[in-house]
Amino acid sequence: DFLRALDEVHPAFGVSEEELQQVIQNGIIHYDPVVDELLKTGILFVDQVRTSTRTPLVSILLHGPPGSGKTALGASIAQASEYPFIKLISPDNMVGFSESQKVTAITKVFTDSYKSPLSVVVVDNIERLIDWTPMGARFSNAVLQTLLVLFNRRPPKGRRLLIIATSSLRPILTDLGLSETFDSELRVPPISSLRALEYVVQEVELFPSEQQRRRAVRMLEDAGFGGRDDLTPKLQIGIKKLLGIVEMARQEPEAVAERLTSSLMDLR
Amino acid sequence: DFLRALDEVHPAFGVSEEELQQVIQNGIIHYDPVVDELLKTGILFVDQVRTSTRTPLVSILLHGPPGSGKTALGASIAQASEYPFIKLISPDNMVGFSESQKVTAITKVFTDSYKSPLSVVVVDNIERLIDWTPMGARFSNAVLQTLLVLFNRRPPKGRRLLIIATSSLRPILTDLGLSETFDSELRVPPISSLRALEYVVQEVELFPSEQQRRRAVRMLEDAGFGGRDDLTPKLQIGIKKLLGIVEMARQEPEAVAERLTSSLMDLR
Amino acid sequence: DFLRALDEVHPAFGVSEEELQQVIQNGIIHYDPVVDELLKTGILFVDQVRTSTRTPLVSILLHGPPGSGKTALGASIAQASEYPFIKLISPDNMVGFSESQKVTAITKVFTDSYKSPLSVVVVDNIERLIDWTPMGARFSNAVLQTLLVLFNRRPPKGRRLLIIATSSLRPILTDLGLSETFDSELRVPPISSLRALEYVVQEVELFPSEQQRRRAVRMLEDAGFGGRDDLTPKLQIGIKKLLGIVEMARQEPEAVAERLTSSLMDLR
Amino acid sequence: DFLRALDEVHPAFGVSEEELQQVIQNGIIHYDPVVDELLKTGILFVDQVRTSTRTPLVSILLHGPPGSGKTALGASIAQASEYPFIKLISPDNMVGFSESQKVTAITKVFTDSYKSPLSVVVVDNIERLIDWTPMGARFSNAVLQTLLVLFNRRPPKGRRLLIIATSSLRPILTDLGLSETFDSELRVPPISSLRALEYVVQEVELFPSEQQRRRAVRMLEDAGFGGRDDLTPKLQIGIKKLLGIVEMARQEPEAVAERLTSSLMDLR
Amino acid sequence: DFLRALDEVHPAFGVSEEELQQVIQNGIIHYDPVVDELLKTGILFVDQVRTSTRTPLVSILLHGPPGSGKTALGASIAQASEYPFIKLISPDNMVGFSESQKVTAITKVFTDSYKSPLSVVVVDNIERLIDWTPMGARFSNAVLQTLLVLFNRRPPKGRRLLIIATSSLRPILTDLGLSETFDSELRVPPISSLRALEYVVQEVELFPSEQQRRRAVRMLEDAGFGGRDDLTPKLQIGIKKLLGIVEMARQEPEAVAERLTSSLMDLR
Amino acid sequence: DFLRALDEVHPAFGVSEEELQQVIQNGIIHYDPVVDELLKTGILFVDQVRTSTRTPLVSILLHGPPGSGKTALGASIAQASEYPFIKLISPDNMVGFSESQKVTAITKVFTDSYKSPLSVVVVDNIERLIDWTPMGARFSNAVLQTLLVLFNRRPPKGRRLLIIATSSLRPILTDLGLSETFDSELRVPPISSLRALEYVVQEVELFPSEQQRRRAVRMLEDAGFGGRDDLTPKLQIGIKKLLGIVEMARQEPEAVAERLTSSLMDLR
Ligand SMILES: Nc1ncnc2c1ncn2[C@@H]1O[C@H](COP(=O)(O)OP(=O)(O)OP(=O)(O)O)[C@@H](O)[C@H]1O
Ligand SMILES: Nc1ncnc2c1ncn2[C@@H]1O[C@H](COP(=O)(O)OP(=O)(O)OP(=O)(O)O)[C@@H](O)[C@H]1O
Ligand SMILES: Nc1ncnc2c1ncn2[C@@H]1O[C@H](COP(=O)(O)OP(=O)(O)OP(=O)(O)O)[C@@H](O)[C@H]1O
Ligand SMILES: Nc1ncnc2c1ncn2[C@@H]1O[C@H](COP(=O)(O)OP(=O)(O)OP(=O)(O)O)[C@@H](O)[C@H]1O
Ligand SMILES: Nc1ncnc2c1ncn2[C@@H]1O[C@H](COP(=O)(O)OP(=O)(O)OP(=O)(O)O)[C@@H](O)[C@H]1O
Ligand SMILES: Nc1ncnc2c1ncn2[C@@H]1O[C@H](COP(=O)(O)OP(=O)(O)OP(=O)(O)O)[C@@H](O)[C@H]1O
Ligand SMILES: [Mg+2]
Ligand SMILES: [Mg+2]
Ligand SMILES: [Mg+2]
Ligand SMILES: [Mg+2]
Ligand SMILES: [Mg+2]
Ligand SMILES: [Mg+2]
């Protein structure tokens, strides 16, 4: 299976591999068909950039609620491209940067990318890059304008670039005029079915015994999370937060099911 | 045909030819009579500046929806002028510039232009040059004021200048007091007829066989894009975006027609 | 006729003659009695400053719609004064200046003027000097405050100064507290009668033959611009824009009348 | 008569006499009893500061419409004090100053004043010192805060200070919290009676003959400016503006009365 | 009587005695029981800081209308403490300071205070320290934040600090979040009874003879200021302003009573 | 009892012990079961970070009314962790810091923490760190953005970090987008039962005799503070303020009960 193989792919050189690994620390769990679809669509864009001469610049946006796995998926697609140039632009590496330092750092990655015939740039967490705060609608217009230009600027002749951006605040991006700069937008949904949830806890081996697992499922069903194929989303949780809750539950081995259920119910 | 010849015209010297070429990478496709009319009107202004002594400064605005081809058309007219001085002022070359650096760079181009008896300056994407963002109506007043003065400032005696500006946000320009500085405004419309669309895909040889082409047309008509002379615009797409969609469709040779149709329907 | 002679007057020394000439490049056409009246009133103030010892500072404002001829008239009055010191403060010479550079440059002209027993300072296009933009009502308060003080500051003993300011935005000047600083305000109206329009096109010899001229007049009357003495203003065009339209019309000798009429109708 | 003598008083040393003279260039015309009253009240405060040990700091505000004579009256009172230290703080001497330069210059005058046992500081045109503009209610808070502190700060032991401030915008001063810092506020009214107006024109010898004077008075009465003792103010003009109009009228000796009347009617 | 003795107390060393004296120039007049109460309460806090080990930081706010005597009372309490460290933080000493200079100066006083086992810091006129202006609600957030932290920051082990702050704008302090930082708030009221007023004028020996005093009282009563024990406050005047009015009245020995009464009536 | 032992725990090295001690100067009084619960839950998070490999970053928020004991509790949990790296980020140590100095200081603590395998960082008083003021909703966006990134940034491989933040303004944190960055939020309530209040005064030995204690309780009950198990909160006071009131009451040994009761009633 190609998609599962993705997680192990390691690009050869000129690539910030460690950084990419860091954001996929807990791997990619295929808890829902949408995970495969997202990866597959990403690979299609990777292929278009590689093969078509008329579109040397393609940009996509991964958006969805906090912790839904946008960064991990973006990094996975980038890794899978096996392009010679893969870079991650992340607010994590720009703490304390002034506006102009941010602009310089971001611009440098794009300028560097133009040296490689094929490049992927992951622009992670746009709202944080532009210092967005809802109160007073403050943000760095300097960084915003830089992104607006860079997302539209064609690489020089003979160079091709794929841009993968992530954000939890798609409506804001639209208000800022950023949305229309993307060739395609892909939504990364939260986990909302019991089946997907079960898949995750099994993958991370939360329950020491099959008996305990069944008891937990019963508790969740009783708590109203619905049956296996329940479609009405009563549950809305990002994979990142779910993995955190799982770990907290694991602290009390004797009461794993209770802790898991109560934590999930607290979220509603 | 003079207009078609335009695309091949190469001015002799003192001209940033490469830059101009870069923005007309995919050429000019004459998919609609309006394309010829726009180029023809542009040439009329080129001639007026060359011949009349009483109007040493003429400025025009090319405006229209994103990706409608404003930059490519502006650059084509500039190239066709064969003036000794042709320069492109573009946000692409000013990423990370401070307000005052932008002002200096823009002013320099105008000052340089005064050294040539005949000059064209293309001022591309005004909203980006002034760092416009709709949220909070933020923009660089310093750059705006610079444009307001430069667009009205007569070149010194014996010098003549044609200014070609482009923008996707004409209403904003009006609010900013910029609109009234232009001698003429030309609207660059999006593609809105099936006939024009067909012309484009044929030019870029999207379909390997005539049979496939016909099938695609039928699908588009069935999808409600109307007959050949349909005038009610059900379709609104810039030539730039259309060329992108074509390239994406080309990725799956067996399903070109389906992909093209579905991408176009997604836009509505 | 003294007023017509004005246009040819050249002051003797210490005067930026070239600059003044530049802004009256197309001369003064006496298309309407108001033109003479404005020049005459201007000369009256010139005389008052020269003769009265009790009013060493007099300031007037020429205001009117864009392109109505304010700058050319202001420069003409200044030239006609034949004062030993005549200077033009214009945004054209301050492109890219910082707020404080503008303040310094403006102040210097006034300080210099105090060295001459008689001086005229033309302060052109106030809204541009203060970086006015209607959106958000932004402007340079530093430059505004400088003007507010300089327009009221008496020259030192034995020195006399006439200030001629121009603006297209009189209501804004009032809101900014600038209006009340002027001793007198003179309105420069746009051309609004067919008779004045005819006068202009004849002066610039637009029509090669008397026959063509008559045909054009008929077309304009048919288009509803009214008879010779029509007073209801259906037409509102500044002399500057009219001269531009005339030049464009001249491009197609065979269709001069049609082009002139259609351009004028576009304005309504 | 002491009050009339005021105008000729020249303080002995350490005083910026020339500056004071400059602002009383046209002297003080005693056109109305209120002029004497204002000067007399001012002298009372001068005396209080000189004699009382318990109030080493007294501050008064002269306020009234533009051109009503505030600066000239303030300077006259200061001159009449014959204190060893008399200084004028005026926006005229601070053109182009930055906020902090203004603060420094203002503060220096106060600090200097503390060196003299008796001092008067005239703080002229407060709204201009604080760069006030009604649009957007902009002003220099740094200068405002400086004035707020300096107007309240007691001079060191053994020093006494009289502050005379002037402003046309008393309501704004109240909104800014400045009004309550004054020990007393004196209103300088505009000229509003025909009798006062007659007094002024006679003083400046506008009319060559008694016959002409009578004709002018009749014209003004006919124009509705009322009889000699008319109390309903139909006329509202500052002495400064009136002196300007008089000078303009003087330009046409044959039509002095007509010009004067029409200029005054324009004001209504 | 201890409280009356306060006024004469002089702390021994490390204390800015002159500064304190300057703000109590006119002494403390005990015109009302509230004056004693305020001083007594202040001394209680002085004692608590001296004796209790659990509350090394105590802060109080003296608030009341302008000129009610807040600064003089605060300084008196500080003087009475006889602590080895007593400092006054006053806007008078920070004219022309930048925001950061103010922050530094204020912080230094607190840091210095930590070197003494017992300290009092008088923070005078908070609204002026933070450059407060009601128009636009402008203020220095940098200074405000500094006060917010310093008013809450415990001195190091073994050090104790009493903070006495003054302000005329208590409601603003609340809006700024400053009110809740004080352990106690004490209101300094204006003079509002005839009895208190009489006490003051007698103390400063306004009337040369008992006869004149009685006549003045009668005039005030006739003017409606009520009898000796009138409780309904018809009069609201700060002690500072009252002392100013008294001094003005003293200027005309023959009309002291009239002047005093009319000045007081002007205030209503 | 482990929880009580907490207060005496002293971590071994690399820890700013003195600083922690300073903020728990008055110890932890166990006046209510919620105090133990809060400490216990804190320890659970300490354990999770120590043992689980999948959640190297855990962050909790202690929020509650001013003076409820947030800082002391946060510091106690940090001390109890016995991690090799424990640091307090407090506004007390950043008085007068510029925005960028704050950002640098905060970032340094986090970067330092990454050098230890196990770290706790206490981020005290978030509203003060970001210079929050309700008037005009001003705050330092630079510091806010720094916290938003640091609270989400995973430590490098092999490092684990517990973040304990405190704030009195939880709703503001939500508006600023900070709330959702915490894994868990713990509310620190004020004292609201007579029983808890009694516990506190007994612990600090306010009453010299049992008799006095009983009298005080009766007074409080009479004042309406309800019986021992009264659940309707009529009383709302932080432990910090209560300890202050107790100390004030102690000043008058003969009237301890009266002072305590009246101070508490003033708060309502
Ligand atoms: N199917 C999956 N998709 C994405 N992430 C997954 C998946 N399965 C497991 N993970 C793990 O879940 C975590 C997702 O966190 P990630 O930071 O990518 O989310 P996010 O949406 O970017 O969060 P934020 O909104 O905070 O930026 C990662 O640790 C990743 O290894
Ligand atoms: N008739 C045409 N007119 C304009 N461009 C055309 C035409 N035919 C083909 N093209 C190609 O289409 C593209 C138009 O893109 P262009 O950047 O000029 O659009 P734009 O309106 O300036 O976009 P934006 O709104 O993003 O600035 C160019 O690559 C150009 O070569
Ligand atoms: N009667 C006239 N009055 C003024 N200008 C005239 C007249 N006749 C001809 N002209 C020419 O018309 C032009 C008027 O332009 P001018 O720049 O003075 O207008 P303006 O009102 O200052 O424009 P703007 O509003 O852009 O500042 C000049 O070139 C001048 O030579
Ligand atoms: N009675 C008078 N009072 C004041 N000024 C007088 C009087 N008589 C004559 N003058 C002259 O009138 C002029 C008054 O101008 P002044 O600048 O003092 O007015 P102002 O109220 O300060 O004006 P502005 O509002 O512009 O500051 C001066 O030239 C002064 O010499
Ligand atoms: N009982 C009193 N209380 C306070 N001040 C008194 C008293 N009796 C006399 N004074 C004098 O009255 C003056 C009070 O002025 P002070 O500056 O203290 O008032 P304030 O309220 O601080 O004024 P502001 O609101 O302007 O800051 C001082 O000169 C002081 O010596
Ligand atoms: N159970 C308790 N919980 C917390 N603090 C306690 C407790 N018992 C006694 N204290 C003492 O009470 C004081 C609580 O003050 P602390 O500064 O921690 O409150 P805070 O809520 O952080 O205040 P602020 O809102 O001002 O930041 C400390 O001196 C602490 O030693
Ligand atoms: Mg992410
Ligand atoms: Mg473009
Ligand atoms: Mg002009
Ligand atoms: Mg004045
Ligand atoms: Mg005070
Ligand atoms: Mg705290």
Side-chain angles (χ1 to χ4, degrees), chain E residues 175-263:
Chain E
D175 292 352
L176 293 169
L178 258 171
S179 288
E180 64 188 27
T181 68
F182 296 106
D183 288 293
S184 186
E185 305 194 357
L186 307 177
R187 178 169 156 79
V188 183
I191 290 173
S192 59
S193 76
L194 189 51
R195 181 203 282 254
L197 196 151
E198 277 185 67
Y199 189 97
V200 171
V201 295
Q202 189 150 354
E203 280 284 304
V204 299
E205 295 166 11
L206 175 62
F207 301 107
S209 71
E210 172 60 14
Q211 196 180 0
Q212 284 194 27
R213 196 190 61 74
R214 265 190 246 129
R215 191 162 132 264
V217 171
R218 224 175 314 118
M219 284 182 69
L220 287 165
E221 283 175 352
D222 292 355
F225 287 111
R228 291 201 153 238
D229 293 292
D230 185 9
L231 288 173
T232 51
K234 286 167 177 153
L235 179 74
Q236 292 274 2
I237 184 169
I239 176 72
K240 193 163 145 190
K241 188 142 215 162
L242 178 57
L243 292 177
I245 285 173
V246 161
E247 239 35 48
M248 227 179 312
R250 215 193 281 274
Q251 292 303 307
E252 296 183 78
E254 70 288 356
V256 169
E258 286 77 5
R259 281 229 143 224
L260 186 70
T261 310
S262 77
S263 293

Side-chain angles (χ1 to χ4, degrees), chain D residues 155-174:
Chain D
K157 242 183 169 164
R159 306 313 188 189
R160 302 191 195 153
L161 173 62
L162 174 64
I163 299 170
I164 302 173
T166 80
S167 170
S168 304
L169 294 173
R170 195 180 155 285
I172 299 300
L173 299 199
T174 305

Side-chain angles (χ1 to χ4, degrees), chain C residues 52 54 137 145 153-154, chain D residues 25 92 128 138 247 250:
Chain C
S52 162
R54 280 203 187 82
Q145 297 296 330
R153 185 168 77 171
R154 296 189 159 208
Chain D
Q25 246 173 30
D92 282 8
R128 209 50 54 234
R138 294 185 215 186
E247 239 35 48
R250 213 193 284 275

Side-chain angles (χ1 to χ4, degrees), chain B residues 174-193:
Chain B
T174 305
D175 292 352
L176 292 169
L178 258 171
S179 287
E180 63 187 27
T181 68
F182 295 107
D183 289 291
S184 186
E185 304 194 358
L186 307 177
R187 177 167 157 81
V188 184
I191 290 173
S192 60
S193 76

Side-chain angles (χ1 to χ4, degrees), chain B residues 133-152:
Chain B
T133 187
M135 195 177 275
R138 295 187 215 185
F139 61 91
S140 161
N141 196 28
V143 176
L144 172 62
Q145 297 295 331
T146 299
L147 295 181
L148 281 167
V149 174
L150 291 176
F151 285 2
N152 273 314

Side-chain angles (χ1 to χ4, degrees), chain E residues 44-45 47-48 51-52 54-56 103 107 132 137-139 141 144-146 148-150 153-155 157 175-176 180 182, chain F residues 22 25-26 66 91-93 95-96 127-128 131-135 138-139 203-204 240-241 243-244 247-248 250-252 259:
Chain E
L44 269 177
F45 285 107
D47 290 343
Q48 180 185 346
T51 59
S52 162
R54 280 203 186 82
T55 49
V103 167
T107 308
W132 168 258
R138 296 185 214 185
F139 60 92
N141 196 28
L144 172 62
Q145 296 296 330
T146 299
L148 280 168
V149 174
L150 291 176
R153 184 168 78 170
R154 296 189 159 208
K157 241 183 170 162
D175 292 352
L176 293 169
E180 64 188 27
F182 296 106
Chain F
Q22 163 89 349
Q25 245 173 30
N26 292 329
D92 283 8
N93 306 321
V95 176
E127 55 272 33
R128 209 49 55 235
D131 289 339
W132 168 257
T133 187
M135 195 176 276
R138 295 186 214 185
F139 60 93
E203 279 285 304
V204 299
K240 192 162 143 190
K241 188 142 215 165
L243 292 176
E247 241 33 50
M248 226 179 311
R250 214 192 283 274
Q251 292 303 306
E252 296 184 76
R259 281 229 142 225

Side-chain angles (χ1 to χ4, degrees), chain B:
Chain B
D1 185 319
F2 176 67
L3 287 168
R4 276 171 201 240
L6 268 186
D7 309 343
E8 281 79 49
V9 163
H10 292 176
F13 66 96
V15 172
S16 50
E17 200 174 325
E18 221 168 307
E19 243 171 34
L20 292 172
Q21 278 307 114
Q22 163 89 348
V23 299
I24 333 178
Q25 244 174 31
N26 292 329
I28 299 290
I29 301 171
H30 297 260
Y31 55 80
D32 192 289
V34 79
V35 176
D36 287 7
E37 275 165 40
L38 284 166
L39 291 169
K40 204 167 152 189
T41 309
I43 299 307
L44 269 177
F45 284 107
V46 166
D47 290 344
Q48 181 185 346
V49 170
R50 198 190 333 256
T51 59
S52 162
T53 59
R54 279 203 188 83
T55 48
L57 177 70
V58 172
S59 61
I60 63 177
L61 174 68
L62 295 173
H63 64 90
S68 55
K70 302 171 295 294
T71 304
L73 287 175
S76 296
I77 296 168
Q79 259 190 339
S81 76
E82 297 197 292
Y83 283 6
F85 185 96
I86 307 174
K87 276 277 157 59
L88 178 67
I89 294 177
S90 160
D92 282 8
N93 307 322
M94 300 192 188
V95 176
F97 276 33
S98 69
E99 274 194 298
S100 74
Q101 285 176 314
K102 276 194 189 175
V103 166
T104 304
I106 293 169
T107 307
K108 186 178 174 348
V109 174
F110 279 80
T111 310
D112 286 355
S113 80
Y114 299 155
K115 292 178 194 147
S116 162
L118 283 172
S119 303
V120 193
V121 172
V122 181
V123 182
D124 195 31
N125 213 340
I126 294 184
E127 54 272 34
R128 210 48 56 235
L129 284 175
I130 62 170
D131 288 340
W132 168 258
T133 187
M135 195 177 275
R138 295 187 215 185
F139 61 91
S140 161
N141 196 28
V143 176
L144 172 62
Q145 297 295 331
T146 299
L147 295 181
L148 281 167
V149 174
L150 291 176
F151 285 2
N152 273 314
R153 184 168 77 171
R154 295 189 159 208
K157 241 184 172 163
R159 307 312 189 190
R160 303 190 195 154
L161 174 61
L162 174 65
I163 299 170
I164 302 174
T166 80
S167 171
S168 304
L169 293 174
R170 195 179 156 284
I172 299 300
L173 298 199
T174 305
D175 292 352
L176 292 169
L178 258 171
S179 287
E180 63 187 27
T181 68
F182 295 107
D183 289 291
S184 186
E185 304 194 358
L186 307 177
R187 177 167 157 81
V188 184
I191 290 173
S192 60
S193 76
L194 188 50
R195 181 204 282 253
L197 196 151
E198 277 185 66
Y199 189 96
V200 171
V201 294
Q202 190 150 351
E203 280 283 305
V204 299
E205 295 169 11
L206 174 63
F207 300 107
S209 72
E210 172 60 14
Q211 198 181 359
Q212 283 194 28
R213 196 191 61 73
R214 265 190 247 130
R215 190 161 134 265
V217 172
R218 223 175 314 118
M219 284 183 67
L220 287 165
E221 283 175 352
D222 291 355
F225 286 111
R228 291 199 151 237
D229 293 293
D230 185 9
L231 288 173
T232 51
K234 286 165 178 155
L235 178 75
Q236 292 273 1
I237 184 169
I239 175 74
K240 193 163 143 190
K241 188 143 216 163
L242 178 57
L243 292 176
I245 285 174
V246 161
E247 239 35 48
M248 227 179 310
R250 214 192 282 275
Q251 292 303 305
E252 295 184 76
E254 69 289 354
V256 169
E258 286 77 6
R259 281 227 144 226
L260 186 69
T261 310
S262 78
S263 293
L264 288 171
M265 291 187 70
D266 280 0
L267 292 174
R268 292 198 295 188

